Amino acid sequence: KSLGKDNTIFIGIKPFMNYVTAVVMQFKNKGQNEVIVSARGKFISKAVDVVEVARRTFLKEENIQVKDIKISSEAFENKEGKRIHVSAIEIHLIKG
């Protein structure tokens, strides 16, 4: 699923390979030169794995580079009214 920009992939609860395929499709089928993989909280490690599997296995000959990694933290209230912080990451990939 993508919110806003076409080239942003949001990592969530879907199966791992769905996201890997989405990254590969962006570069190969849609001809994107930049793809952003975005995740929050417990999905951050999944996002890193998705990027690495896509780069090393499926996009070897495309020379995909990590251009930038942006990290942030968002504060909001949970159901109990307690303020919590959720970490977020954005991994910017470019065709090298």
Side-chain angles (χ1 to χ4, degrees), residues 13-52:
I13 57 173
K14 287 186 199 146
F16 181 78
M17 286 309 291
N18 287 32
Y19 299 109
V20 173
T21 304
V23 172
V24 173
M25 298 278 281
Q26 288 288 331
F27 282 116
K28 288 206 167 163
N29 299 18
K30 297 204 174 141
Q32 297 279 9
N33 287 324
E34 181 170 1
V35 174
I36 300 163
V37 177
S38 184
R40 295 190 350 189
K42 66 182 182 189
F43 297 117
I44 290 175
S45 61
K46 191 175 185 178
V48 172
D49 292 341
V50 164
V51 166
E52 288 305 294

Side-chain angles (χ1 to χ4, degrees), residues 56-92:
R56 288 190 186 146
T57 309
F58 298 98
L59 295 166
K60 252 194 210 116
E61 66 286 344
E62 308 276 334
N63 189 24
I64 302 302
Q65 304 293 321
V66 175
K67 179 180 100 173
D68 194 14
I69 295 173
K70 293 188 173 131
I71 57 170
S72 60
S73 179
E74 293 172 33
F76 57 91
E77 285 185 12
N78 66 8
K79 291 187 278 278
E80 292 81 45
K82 207 170 131 205
R83 275 183 80 70
I84 55 169
H85 289 271
V86 175
S87 304
I89 192 168
E90 260 187 19
I91 306 167
H92 294 248

